[in-house]
Amino acid sequence: MTHETAPSAQTPPIMAKDFKRGLPVYAPFDWLKAGARDTFASPVSSLLYGLIVFLISVACVALLFRFGFSYILFPVIAGFMVLGPLVAIGLYGKSRLLAAGASRVSIGEMVFFKAKSPGQLLLVGIVLMLIMTFWLRFAVVLYALFFGLAPFDGVEETVNTLFFTDTGRTLLLIGSAVGGVLAAFSFAVSAFSIPMLMNEKKDTMTAMALSVVMAWTNMPVVFVWGSIVLALFLFSVVTGFVGLIVIFPILGHGTWHAYKAMRREEALAEAELESQT
């Protein structure tokens, strides 16, 4: 005697219910608009945040030249993009407060915003610092292979040597290729995991895995967003980092909206319930 069993509904893959697929390719421009809207809603706090980032960036570059490390100027600038999502934590906090109905958000509320998974955020920060450290060590070794251990004298010599000599251009080509791979990896790992850990009770590995899956399954959209971030960051560098005062807050708030757009409403609602228990 045989028994026929009705086919059970196919169980969705792990985490598939947690993120959206097939977002329109123009979605990143909506995130950028939302980022600008959050920046200029109670603008003093966001612009002051951007000013602090600008001052820190200038101080870091000044220290490089002061202590004779100008030859790693470009790797350090590229490494800033690795740490950018972590530096923008306060901006995510402001966007969350604005979404909750706040009309004004002070710089103190941004800096001391309480994340839902603070310990896990620290672990993501450690991962990004390790990536940054590896990148800088690799850059130093690569520079030594091409130019030895003698540092460049001043900005002008650094730029002339790197851009207007065959050896310098080769170094930039190889360094850009390796740096691009590391930047893409760190972007996939952190772009959505850090806002997620600000807003949800998640462990580090789950958040990073979800971030990578969200980026992979929406690759065209994430590529457009990454290109926007890169273009605006390069513009900020060209302006002597002054552009960061406005651009960094817009990109930080925009990243928050990118995370919210990538997550399903059900997952966000579930996270909100978990945070209240």
Side-chain angles (χ1 to χ4, degrees):
M1 183 176 179
T2 60
H3 296 277
E4 294 186 2
T5 57
S8 59
Q10 186 177 2
T11 303
I14 295 175
M15 298 188 297
K17 64 180 178 63
D18 290 332
F19 57 88
K20 296 176 183 176
R21 301 171 185 264
L23 292 173
V25 73
Y26 56 81
F29 296 97
D30 294 332
W31 306 339
L32 198 64
K33 291 177 184 176
R37 185 180 64 243
D38 284 2
T39 297
F40 294 102
S42 183
V44 173
S45 55
S46 290
L47 296 179
L48 182 57
Y49 201 98
L51 177 63
I52 293 171
V53 172
F54 160 70
L55 293 175
I56 292 173
S57 301
V58 171
C60 288
V61 172
L63 288 172
L64 286 179
F65 284 96
R66 172 66 179 81
F67 292 102
F69 293 106
S70 61
Y71 54 90
I72 60 169
L73 172 64
F74 291 103
V76 168
I77 291 174
F80 180 82
M81 293 195 68
V82 174
L83 299 179
L86 188 65
V87 177
I89 281 179
L91 299 167
Y92 309 149
K94 177 182 173 181
S95 287
R96 192 179 193 282
L97 290 171
L98 289 174
S103 57
R104 295 175 60 87
V105 180
S106 68
I107 186 69
E109 290 174 304
M110 293 171 65
V111 173
F112 297 106
F113 182 83
K114 186 177 180 181
K116 298 298 175 62
S117 303
Q120 306 304 315
L121 266 175
L122 178 62
L123 292 178
V124 176
I126 292 172
V127 170
L128 294 180
M129 288 299 297
L130 289 174
I131 294 174
M132 178 74 170
T133 301
F134 172 80
W135 167 232
L136 292 179
R137 295 306 302 169
F138 176 83
V140 171
V141 171
L142 192 62
Y143 169 82
L145 290 175
F146 279 86
F147 293 104
L149 298 177
F152 297 134
D153 293 326
V155 179
E156 185 175 350
E157 185 183 347
T158 300
V159 173
N160 288 338
T161 303
L162 290 177
F163 287 95
F164 299 106
T165 66
D166 291 338
T167 304
R169 285 192 291 266
T170 303
L171 172 62
L172 283 176
L173 180 64
I174 296 174
S176 297
V178 177
V181 172
L182 287 176
F185 173 74
S186 63
F187 183 81
V189 165
S190 64
F192 308 114
S193 65
I194 295 179
M196 189 183 304
L197 292 171
M198 288 286 292
N199 191 50
E200 306 177 29
K201 291 183 178 179
K202 284 277 187 293
D203 64 89
T204 302
M205 295 306 298
T206 298
M208 290 194 299
L210 262 172
S211 183
V212 172
V213 172
M214 289 159 69
W216 181 261
T217 54
N218 291 280
M219 191 176 297
V221 180
V222 174
F223 178 80
V224 172
W225 178 240
S227 299
I228 291 172
V229 171
L230 177 60
L232 291 178
F233 176 71
L234 291 177
F235 174 78
S236 297
V237 173
V238 170
T239 64
F241 299 107
V242 174
L244 287 176
I245 297 173
V246 176
I247 289 174
F248 189 80
I250 291 175
L251 292 178
H253 291 306
T255 298
W256 170 264
H257 289 281
Y259 147 72
K260 294 293 291 289
M262 289 281 189
R263 294 287 270 158
R264 287 192 181 277
E265 288 77 6
E266 296 87 344
L268 292 172
E270 182 179 341
E272 189 64 29
L273 287 175
E274 287 180 354
S275 67
Q276 295 173 1
T277 60

